[in-house]
mmCIF file with all atom_site columns, all heavy atoms in Angstrom:
data_model
loop_
_atom_site.group_PDB
_atom_site.id
_atom_site.type_symbol
_atom_site.label_atom_id
_atom_site.label_alt_id
_atom_site.label_comp_id
_atom_site.label_asym_id
_atom_site.label_entity_id
_atom_site.label_seq_id
_atom_site.pdbx_PDB_ins_code
_atom_site.Cartn_x
_atom_site.Cartn_y
_atom_site.Cartn_z
_atom_site.occupancy
_atom_site.B_iso_or_equiv
_atom_site.pdbx_formal_charge
_atom_site.auth_seq_id
_atom_site.auth_comp_id
_atom_site.auth_asym_id
_atom_site.auth_atom_id
_atom_site.pdbx_PDB_model_num
ATOM 1   N N   . ASN L 1 1  ? 115.482 66.269 52.033 1.00 77.00 ? 1  ASN L N   1
ATOM 2   C CA  . ASN L 1 1  ? 115.524 65.930 53.458 1.00 77.00 ? 1  ASN L CA  1
ATOM 3   C C   . ASN L 1 1  ? 115.677 64.432 53.669 1.00 77.00 ? 1  ASN L C   1
ATOM 4   O O   . ASN L 1 1  ? 116.425 63.986 54.548 1.00 77.00 ? 1  ASN L O   1
ATOM 5   C CB  . ASN L 1 1  ? 114.264 66.439 54.160 1.00 77.00 ? 1  ASN L CB  1
ATOM 6   C CG  . ASN L 1 1  ? 114.284 67.938 54.352 1.00 77.00 ? 1  ASN L CG  1
ATOM 7   O OD1 . ASN L 1 1  ? 115.339 68.546 54.442 1.00 77.00 ? 1  ASN L OD1 1
ATOM 8   N ND2 . ASN L 1 1  ? 113.104 68.555 54.396 1.00 77.00 ? 1  ASN L ND2 1
ATOM 9   N N   . LEU L 1 2  ? 114.946 63.650 52.867 1.00 71.00 ? 2  LEU L N   1
ATOM 10  C CA  . LEU L 1 2  ? 115.056 62.199 52.977 1.00 71.00 ? 2  LEU L CA  1
ATOM 11  C C   . LEU L 1 2  ? 116.463 61.719 52.661 1.00 71.00 ? 2  LEU L C   1
ATOM 12  O O   . LEU L 1 2  ? 117.022 60.840 53.349 1.00 71.00 ? 2  LEU L O   1
ATOM 13  C CB  . LEU L 1 2  ? 114.033 61.534 52.063 1.00 71.00 ? 2  LEU L CB  1
ATOM 14  C CG  . LEU L 1 2  ? 112.565 61.641 52.467 1.00 71.00 ? 2  LEU L CG  1
ATOM 15  C CD1 . LEU L 1 2  ? 111.673 61.064 51.369 1.00 71.00 ? 2  LEU L CD1 1
ATOM 16  C CD2 . LEU L 1 2  ? 112.320 60.939 53.787 1.00 71.00 ? 2  LEU L CD2 1
ATOM 17  N N   . LEU L 1 3  ? 117.054 62.294 51.603 1.00 78.00 ? 3  LEU L N   1
ATOM 18  C CA  . LEU L 1 3  ? 118.419 61.898 51.236 1.00 78.00 ? 3  LEU L CA  1
ATOM 19  C C   . LEU L 1 3  ? 119.428 62.281 52.317 1.00 78.00 ? 3  LEU L C   1
ATOM 20  O O   . LEU L 1 3  ? 120.316 61.478 52.664 1.00 78.00 ? 3  LEU L O   1
ATOM 21  C CB  . LEU L 1 3  ? 118.800 62.567 49.910 1.00 78.00 ? 3  LEU L CB  1
ATOM 22  C CG  . LEU L 1 3  ? 118.114 62.009 48.647 1.00 78.00 ? 3  LEU L CG  1
ATOM 23  C CD1 . LEU L 1 3  ? 118.486 62.835 47.430 1.00 78.00 ? 3  LEU L CD1 1
ATOM 24  C CD2 . LEU L 1 3  ? 118.508 60.544 48.426 1.00 78.00 ? 3  LEU L CD2 1
ATOM 25  N N   . LEU L 1 4  ? 119.280 63.492 52.848 1.00 81.00 ? 4  LEU L N   1
ATOM 26  C CA  . LEU L 1 4  ? 120.198 63.920 53.912 1.00 81.00 ? 4  LEU L CA  1
ATOM 27  C C   . LEU L 1 4  ? 120.057 63.046 55.144 1.00 81.00 ? 4  LEU L C   1
ATOM 28  O O   . LEU L 1 4  ? 121.065 62.665 55.765 1.00 81.00 ? 4  LEU L O   1
ATOM 29  C CB  . LEU L 1 4  ? 119.934 65.384 54.252 1.00 81.00 ? 4  LEU L CB  1
ATOM 30  C CG  . LEU L 1 4  ? 120.344 66.407 53.182 1.00 81.00 ? 4  LEU L CG  1
ATOM 31  C CD1 . LEU L 1 4  ? 119.922 67.816 53.595 1.00 81.00 ? 4  LEU L CD1 1
ATOM 32  C CD2 . LEU L 1 4  ? 121.848 66.376 52.928 1.00 81.00 ? 4  LEU L CD2 1
ATOM 33  N N   . ASP L 1 5  ? 118.813 62.714 55.514 1.00 77.00 ? 5  ASP L N   1
ATOM 34  C CA  . ASP L 1 5  ? 118.581 61.835 56.663 1.00 77.00 ? 5  ASP L CA  1
ATOM 35  C C   . ASP L 1 5  ? 119.190 60.458 56.413 1.00 77.00 ? 5  ASP L C   1
ATOM 36  O O   . ASP L 1 5  ? 119.801 59.864 57.331 1.00 77.00 ? 5  ASP L O   1
ATOM 37  C CB  . ASP L 1 5  ? 117.074 61.707 56.936 1.00 77.00 ? 5  ASP L CB  1
ATOM 38  C CG  . ASP L 1 5  ? 116.487 62.977 57.526 1.00 77.00 ? 5  ASP L CG  1
ATOM 39  O OD1 . ASP L 1 5  ? 117.261 63.816 58.017 1.00 77.00 ? 5  ASP L OD1 1
ATOM 40  O OD2 . ASP L 1 5  ? 115.243 63.114 57.486 1.00 77.00 ? 5  ASP L OD2 1
ATOM 41  N N   . ALA L 1 6  ? 119.022 59.940 55.206 1.00 74.00 ? 6  ALA L N   1
ATOM 42  C CA  . ALA L 1 6  ? 119.562 58.624 54.892 1.00 74.00 ? 6  ALA L CA  1
ATOM 43  C C   . ALA L 1 6  ? 121.099 58.625 54.946 1.00 74.00 ? 6  ALA L C   1
ATOM 44  O O   . ALA L 1 6  ? 121.703 57.697 55.504 1.00 74.00 ? 6  ALA L O   1
ATOM 45  C CB  . ALA L 1 6  ? 119.084 58.189 53.491 1.00 74.00 ? 6  ALA L CB  1
ATOM 46  N N   . ILE L 1 7  ? 121.711 59.669 54.398 1.00 81.00 ? 7  ILE L N   1
ATOM 47  C CA  . ILE L 1 7  ? 123.174 59.757 54.415 1.00 81.00 ? 7  ILE L CA  1
ATOM 48  C C   . ILE L 1 7  ? 123.689 59.881 55.846 1.00 81.00 ? 7  ILE L C   1
ATOM 49  O O   . ILE L 1 7  ? 124.651 59.197 56.239 1.00 81.00 ? 7  ILE L O   1
ATOM 50  C CB  . ILE L 1 7  ? 123.648 60.946 53.554 1.00 81.00 ? 7  ILE L CB  1
ATOM 51  C CG1 . ILE L 1 7  ? 123.339 60.685 52.078 1.00 81.00 ? 7  ILE L CG1 1
ATOM 52  C CG2 . ILE L 1 7  ? 125.142 61.184 53.743 1.00 81.00 ? 7  ILE L CG2 1
ATOM 53  C CD1 . ILE L 1 7  ? 123.590 61.884 51.179 1.00 81.00 ? 7  ILE L CD1 1
ATOM 54  N N   . LEU L 1 8  ? 123.051 60.750 56.627 1.00 81.00 ? 8  LEU L N   1
ATOM 55  C CA  . LEU L 1 8  ? 123.485 60.923 58.014 1.00 81.00 ? 8  LEU L CA  1
ATOM 56  C C   . LEU L 1 8  ? 123.302 59.642 58.813 1.00 81.00 ? 8  LEU L C   1
ATOM 57  O O   . LEU L 1 8  ? 124.178 59.248 59.601 1.00 81.00 ? 8  LEU L O   1
ATOM 58  C CB  . LEU L 1 8  ? 122.689 62.080 58.656 1.00 81.00 ? 8  LEU L CB  1
ATOM 59  C CG  . LEU L 1 8  ? 123.075 62.453 60.075 1.00 81.00 ? 8  LEU L CG  1
ATOM 60  C CD1 . LEU L 1 8  ? 124.530 62.921 60.140 1.00 81.00 ? 8  LEU L CD1 1
ATOM 61  C CD2 . LEU L 1 8  ? 122.161 63.561 60.616 1.00 81.00 ? 8  LEU L CD2 1
ATOM 62  N N   . SER L 1 9  ? 122.166 58.972 58.622 1.00 79.00 ? 9  SER L N   1
ATOM 63  C CA  . SER L 1 9  ? 121.916 57.716 59.330 1.00 79.00 ? 9  SER L CA  1
ATOM 64  C C   . SER L 1 9  ? 122.968 56.665 58.952 1.00 79.00 ? 9  SER L C   1
ATOM 65  O O   . SER L 1 9  ? 123.454 55.918 59.810 1.00 79.00 ? 9  SER L O   1
ATOM 66  C CB  . SER L 1 9  ? 120.519 57.204 59.021 1.00 79.00 ? 9  SER L CB  1
ATOM 67  O OG  . SER L 1 9  ? 119.534 58.118 59.437 1.00 79.00 ? 9  SER L OG  1
ATOM 68  N N   . PHE L 1 10 ? 123.284 56.608 57.654 1.00 79.00 ? 10 PHE L N   1
ATOM 69  C CA  . PHE L 1 10 ? 124.285 55.626 57.203 1.00 79.00 ? 10 PHE L CA  1
ATOM 70  C C   . PHE L 1 10 ? 125.657 55.906 57.824 1.00 79.00 ? 10 PHE L C   1
ATOM 71  O O   . PHE L 1 10 ? 126.342 54.983 58.278 1.00 79.00 ? 10 PHE L O   1
ATOM 72  C CB  . PHE L 1 10 ? 124.401 55.669 55.674 1.00 79.00 ? 10 PHE L CB  1
ATOM 73  C CG  . PHE L 1 10 ? 125.529 54.846 55.140 1.00 79.00 ? 10 PHE L CG  1
ATOM 74  C CD1 . PHE L 1 10 ? 125.443 53.472 55.095 1.00 79.00 ? 10 PHE L CD1 1
ATOM 75  C CD2 . PHE L 1 10 ? 126.689 55.469 54.683 1.00 79.00 ? 10 PHE L CD2 1
ATOM 76  C CE1 . PHE L 1 10 ? 126.507 52.713 54.604 1.00 79.00 ? 10 PHE L CE1 1
ATOM 77  C CE2 . PHE L 1 10 ? 127.751 54.713 54.208 1.00 79.00 ? 10 PHE L CE2 1
ATOM 78  C CZ  . PHE L 1 10 ? 127.649 53.333 54.162 1.00 79.00 ? 10 PHE L CZ  1
ATOM 79  N N   . LEU L 1 11 ? 126.048 57.177 57.872 1.00 84.00 ? 11 LEU L N   1
ATOM 80  C CA  . LEU L 1 11 ? 127.344 57.515 58.454 1.00 84.00 ? 11 LEU L CA  1
ATOM 81  C C   . LEU L 1 11 ? 127.407 57.150 59.939 1.00 84.00 ? 11 LEU L C   1
ATOM 82  O O   . LEU L 1 11 ? 128.383 56.564 60.404 1.00 84.00 ? 11 LEU L O   1
ATOM 83  C CB  . LEU L 1 11 ? 127.627 59.009 58.251 1.00 84.00 ? 11 LEU L CB  1
ATOM 84  C CG  . LEU L 1 11 ? 127.869 59.457 56.798 1.00 84.00 ? 11 LEU L CG  1
ATOM 85  C CD1 . LEU L 1 11 ? 128.023 60.975 56.732 1.00 84.00 ? 11 LEU L CD1 1
ATOM 86  C CD2 . LEU L 1 11 ? 129.110 58.775 56.223 1.00 84.00 ? 11 LEU L CD2 1
ATOM 87  N N   . ILE L 1 12 ? 126.346 57.524 60.669 1.00 84.00 ? 12 ILE L N   1
ATOM 88  C CA  . ILE L 1 12 ? 126.319 57.223 62.111 1.00 84.00 ? 12 ILE L CA  1
ATOM 89  C C   . ILE L 1 12 ? 126.328 55.704 62.326 1.00 84.00 ? 12 ILE L C   1
ATOM 90  O O   . ILE L 1 12 ? 127.080 55.188 63.176 1.00 84.00 ? 12 ILE L O   1
ATOM 91  C CB  . ILE L 1 12 ? 125.096 57.871 62.764 1.00 84.00 ? 12 ILE L CB  1
ATOM 92  C CG1 . ILE L 1 12 ? 125.208 59.406 62.725 1.00 84.00 ? 12 ILE L CG1 1
ATOM 93  C CG2 . ILE L 1 12 ? 124.936 57.392 64.201 1.00 84.00 ? 12 ILE L CG2 1
ATOM 94  C CD1 . ILE L 1 12 ? 123.979 60.134 63.231 1.00 84.00 ? 12 ILE L CD1 1
ATOM 95  N N   . PHE L 1 13 ? 125.511 55.011 61.559 1.00 82.00 ? 13 PHE L N   1
ATOM 96  C CA  . PHE L 1 13 ? 125.430 53.563 61.717 1.00 82.00 ? 13 PHE L CA  1
ATOM 97  C C   . PHE L 1 13 ? 126.739 52.895 61.364 1.00 82.00 ? 13 PHE L C   1
ATOM 98  O O   . PHE L 1 13 ? 127.168 51.947 62.034 1.00 82.00 ? 13 PHE L O   1
ATOM 99  C CB  . PHE L 1 13 ? 124.295 53.021 60.844 1.00 82.00 ? 13 PHE L CB  1
ATOM 100 C CG  . PHE L 1 13 ? 123.897 51.611 61.164 1.00 82.00 ? 13 PHE L CG  1
ATOM 101 C CD1 . PHE L 1 13 ? 123.172 51.337 62.312 1.00 82.00 ? 13 PHE L CD1 1
ATOM 102 C CD2 . PHE L 1 13 ? 124.259 50.555 60.351 1.00 82.00 ? 13 PHE L CD2 1
ATOM 103 C CE1 . PHE L 1 13 ? 122.803 50.034 62.641 1.00 82.00 ? 13 PHE L CE1 1
ATOM 104 C CE2 . PHE L 1 13 ? 123.898 49.261 60.652 1.00 82.00 ? 13 PHE L CE2 1
ATOM 105 C CZ  . PHE L 1 13 ? 123.165 49.002 61.800 1.00 82.00 ? 13 PHE L CZ  1
ATOM 106 N N   . SER L 1 14 ? 127.399 53.396 60.332 1.00 84.00 ? 14 SER L N   1
ATOM 107 C CA  . SER L 1 14 ? 128.698 52.825 59.949 1.00 84.00 ? 14 SER L CA  1
ATOM 108 C C   . SER L 1 14 ? 129.732 52.993 61.051 1.00 84.00 ? 14 SER L C   1
ATOM 109 O O   . SER L 1 14 ? 130.513 52.088 61.352 1.00 84.00 ? 14 SER L O   1
ATOM 110 C CB  . SER L 1 14 ? 129.199 53.469 58.646 1.00 84.00 ? 14 SER L CB  1
ATOM 111 O OG  . SER L 1 14 ? 128.326 53.225 57.586 1.00 84.00 ? 14 SER L OG  1
ATOM 112 N N   . VAL L 1 15 ? 129.743 54.179 61.664 1.00 87.00 ? 15 VAL L N   1
ATOM 113 C CA  . VAL L 1 15 ? 130.672 54.423 62.770 1.00 87.00 ? 15 VAL L CA  1
ATOM 114 C C   . VAL L 1 15 ? 130.401 53.466 63.921 1.00 87.00 ? 15 VAL L C   1
ATOM 115 O O   . VAL L 1 15 ? 131.326 52.894 64.525 1.00 87.00 ? 15 VAL L O   1
ATOM 116 C CB  . VAL L 1 15 ? 130.578 55.882 63.239 1.00 87.00 ? 15 VAL L CB  1
ATOM 117 C CG1 . VAL L 1 15 ? 131.360 56.095 64.524 1.00 87.00 ? 15 VAL L CG1 1
ATOM 118 C CG2 . VAL L 1 15 ? 131.087 56.835 62.160 1.00 87.00 ? 15 VAL L CG2 1
ATOM 119 N N   . VAL L 1 16 ? 129.119 53.250 64.229 1.00 88.00 ? 16 VAL L N   1
ATOM 120 C CA  . VAL L 1 16 ? 128.760 52.333 65.323 1.00 88.00 ? 16 VAL L CA  1
ATOM 121 C C   . VAL L 1 16 ? 129.205 50.910 64.987 1.00 88.00 ? 16 VAL L C   1
ATOM 122 O O   . VAL L 1 16 ? 129.798 50.218 65.832 1.00 88.00 ? 16 VAL L O   1
ATOM 123 C CB  . VAL L 1 16 ? 127.232 52.389 65.576 1.00 88.00 ? 16 VAL L CB  1
ATOM 124 C CG1 . VAL L 1 16 ? 126.821 51.299 66.573 1.00 88.00 ? 16 VAL L CG1 1
ATOM 125 C CG2 . VAL L 1 16 ? 126.839 53.758 66.108 1.00 88.00 ? 16 VAL L CG2 1
ATOM 126 N N   . VAL L 1 17 ? 128.933 50.473 63.754 1.00 89.00 ? 17 VAL L N   1
ATOM 127 C CA  . VAL L 1 17 ? 129.295 49.131 63.342 1.00 89.00 ? 17 VAL L CA  1
ATOM 128 C C   . VAL L 1 17 ? 130.816 48.932 63.405 1.00 89.00 ? 17 VAL L C   1
ATOM 129 O O   . VAL L 1 17 ? 131.315 47.941 63.955 1.00 89.00 ? 17 VAL L O   1
ATOM 130 C CB  . VAL L 1 17 ? 128.774 48.835 61.930 1.00 89.00 ? 17 VAL L CB  1
ATOM 131 C CG1 . VAL L 1 17 ? 129.372 47.527 61.394 1.00 89.00 ? 17 VAL L CG1 1
ATOM 132 C CG2 . VAL L 1 17 ? 127.260 48.734 61.925 1.00 89.00 ? 17 VAL L CG2 1
ATOM 133 N N   . VAL L 1 18 ? 131.547 49.898 62.844 1.00 90.00 ? 18 VAL L N   1
ATOM 134 C CA  . VAL L 1 18 ? 133.019 49.800 62.841 1.00 90.00 ? 18 VAL L CA  1
ATOM 135 C C   . VAL L 1 18 ? 133.555 49.743 64.268 1.00 90.00 ? 18 VAL L C   1
ATOM 136 O O   . VAL L 1 18 ? 134.448 48.957 64.592 1.00 90.00 ? 18 VAL L O   1
ATOM 137 C CB  . VAL L 1 18 ? 133.622 50.967 62.060 1.00 90.00 ? 18 VAL L CB  1
ATOM 138 C CG1 . VAL L 1 18 ? 135.142 51.011 62.255 1.00 90.00 ? 18 VAL L CG1 1
ATOM 139 C CG2 . VAL L 1 18 ? 133.308 50.847 60.578 1.00 90.00 ? 18 VAL L CG2 1
ATOM 140 N N   . THR L 1 19 ? 133.004 50.584 65.148 1.00 91.00 ? 19 THR L N   1
ATOM 141 C CA  . THR L 1 19 ? 133.442 50.621 66.546 1.00 91.00 ? 19 THR L CA  1
ATOM 142 C C   . THR L 1 19 ? 133.218 49.287 67.223 1.00 91.00 ? 19 THR L C   1
ATOM 143 O O   . THR L 1 19 ? 134.104 48.732 67.901 1.00 91.00 ? 19 THR L O   1
ATOM 144 C CB  . THR L 1 19 ? 132.714 51.737 67.305 1.00 91.00 ? 19 THR L CB  1
ATOM 145 O OG1 . THR L 1 19 ? 132.964 52.988 66.664 1.00 91.00 ? 19 THR L OG1 1
ATOM 146 C CG2 . THR L 1 19 ? 133.192 51.793 68.758 1.00 91.00 ? 19 THR L CG2 1
ATOM 147 N N   . ILE L 1 20 ? 132.011 48.731 67.063 1.00 91.00 ? 20 ILE L N   1
ATOM 148 C CA  . ILE L 1 20 ? 131.677 47.469 67.706 1.00 91.00 ? 20 ILE L CA  1
ATOM 149 C C   . ILE L 1 20 ? 132.574 46.336 67.191 1.00 91.00 ? 20 ILE L C   1
ATOM 150 O O   . ILE L 1 20 ? 133.109 45.542 67.975 1.00 91.00 ? 20 ILE L O   1
ATOM 151 C CB  . ILE L 1 20 ? 130.183 47.122 67.466 1.00 91.00 ? 20 ILE L CB  1
ATOM 152 C CG1 . ILE L 1 20 ? 129.298 48.083 68.268 1.00 91.00 ? 20 ILE L CG1 1
ATOM 153 C CG2 . ILE L 1 20 ? 129.893 45.686 67.858 1.00 91.00 ? 20 ILE L CG2 1
ATOM 154 C CD1 . ILE L 1 20 ? 127.809 47.904 68.002 1.00 91.00 ? 20 ILE L CD1 1
ATOM 155 N N   . VAL L 1 21 ? 132.759 46.290 65.886 1.00 91.00 ? 21 VAL L N   1
ATOM 156 C CA  . VAL L 1 21 ? 133.562 45.196 65.305 1.00 91.00 ? 21 VAL L CA  1
ATOM 157 C C   . VAL L 1 21 ? 135.030 45.316 65.714 1.00 91.00 ? 21 VAL L C   1
ATOM 158 O O   . VAL L 1 21 ? 135.664 44.324 66.103 1.00 91.00 ? 21 VAL L O   1
ATOM 159 C CB  . VAL L 1 21 ? 133.418 45.187 63.772 1.00 91.00 ? 21 VAL L CB  1
ATOM 160 C CG1 . VAL L 1 21 ? 134.352 44.129 63.168 1.00 91.00 ? 21 VAL L CG1 1
ATOM 161 C CG2 . VAL L 1 21 ? 131.985 44.895 63.373 1.00 91.00 ? 21 VAL L CG2 1
ATOM 162 N N   . PHE L 1 22 ? 135.584 46.522 65.654 1.00 91.00 ? 22 PHE L N   1
ATOM 163 C CA  . PHE L 1 22 ? 136.986 46.699 66.061 1.00 91.00 ? 22 PHE L CA  1
ATOM 164 C C   . PHE L 1 22 ? 137.196 46.359 67.540 1.00 91.00 ? 22 PHE L C   1
ATOM 165 O O   . PHE L 1 22 ? 138.194 45.721 67.896 1.00 91.00 ? 22 PHE L O   1
ATOM 166 C CB  . PHE L 1 22 ? 137.454 48.122 65.778 1.00 91.00 ? 22 PHE L CB  1
ATOM 167 C CG  . PHE L 1 22 ? 138.101 48.279 64.428 1.00 91.00 ? 22 PHE L CG  1
ATOM 168 C CD1 . PHE L 1 22 ? 137.632 49.203 63.512 1.00 91.00 ? 22 PHE L CD1 1
ATOM 169 C CD2 . PHE L 1 22 ? 139.196 47.504 64.065 1.00 91.00 ? 22 PHE L CD2 1
ATOM 170 C CE1 . PHE L 1 22 ? 138.222 49.343 62.269 1.00 91.00 ? 22 PHE L CE1 1
ATOM 171 C CE2 . PHE L 1 22 ? 139.806 47.624 62.829 1.00 91.00 ? 22 PHE L CE2 1
ATOM 172 C CZ  . PHE L 1 22 ? 139.308 48.545 61.931 1.00 91.00 ? 22 PHE L CZ  1
ATOM 173 N N   . LEU L 1 23 ? 136.259 46.767 68.380 1.00 90.00 ? 23 LEU L N   1
ATOM 174 C CA  . LEU L 1 23 ? 136.383 46.425 69.807 1.00 90.00 ? 23 LEU L CA  1
ATOM 175 C C   . LEU L 1 23 ? 136.274 44.916 69.984 1.00 90.00 ? 23 LEU L C   1
ATOM 176 O O   . LEU L 1 23 ? 137.002 44.326 70.801 1.00 90.00 ? 23 LEU L O   1
ATOM 177 C CB  . LEU L 1 23 ? 135.289 47.127 70.607 1.00 90.00 ? 23 LEU L CB  1
ATOM 178 C CG  . LEU L 1 23 ? 135.507 48.613 70.882 1.00 90.00 ? 23 LEU L CG  1
ATOM 179 C CD1 . LEU L 1 23 ? 134.303 49.203 71.583 1.00 90.00 ? 23 LEU L CD1 1
ATOM 180 C CD2 . LEU L 1 23 ? 136.754 48.822 71.748 1.00 90.00 ? 23 LEU L CD2 1
ATOM 181 N N   . GLY L 1 24 ? 135.389 44.279 69.224 1.00 90.00 ? 24 GLY L N   1
ATOM 182 C CA  . GLY L 1 24 ? 135.258 42.823 69.324 1.00 90.00 ? 24 GLY L CA  1
ATOM 183 C C   . GLY L 1 24 ? 136.525 42.110 68.883 1.00 90.00 ? 24 GLY L C   1
ATOM 184 O O   . GLY L 1 24 ? 136.950 41.122 69.509 1.00 90.00 ? 24 GLY L O   1
ATOM 185 N N   . LEU L 1 25 ? 137.141 42.602 67.815 1.00 89.00 ? 25 LEU L N   1
ATOM 186 C CA  . LEU L 1 25 ? 138.381 41.984 67.339 1.00 89.00 ? 25 LEU L CA  1
ATOM 187 C C   . LEU L 1 25 ? 139.549 42.242 68.276 1.00 89.00 ? 25 LEU L C   1
ATOM 188 O O   . LEU L 1 25 ? 140.402 41.371 68.490 1.00 89.00 ? 25 LEU L O   1
ATOM 189 C CB  . LEU L 1 25 ? 138.721 42.523 65.946 1.00 89.00 ? 25 LEU L CB  1
ATOM 190 C CG  . LEU L 1 25 ? 137.750 42.155 64.819 1.00 89.00 ? 25 LEU L CG  1
ATOM 191 C CD1 . LEU L 1 25 ? 138.118 42.869 63.527 1.00 89.00 ? 25 LEU L CD1 1
ATOM 192 C CD2 . LEU L 1 25 ? 137.735 40.632 64.604 1.00 89.00 ? 25 LEU L CD2 1
#
């Protein structure tokens, strides 16, 4: 469960980061 939560959190966070950076650029 911890691994799945970590993987899911990383994917969601990566999408948010990529979205923010691309919009900023």
Side-chain angles (χ1 to χ4, degrees):
N1 286 332
L2 289 174
L3 288 175
L4 290 175
D5 288 343
I7 293 172
L8 184 61
S9 299
F10 171 76
L11 291 176
I12 294 174
F13 194 73
S14 297
V15 171
V16 172
V17 169
V18 170
T19 302
I20 290 175
V21 175
F22 267 124
L23 284 175
L25 294 174

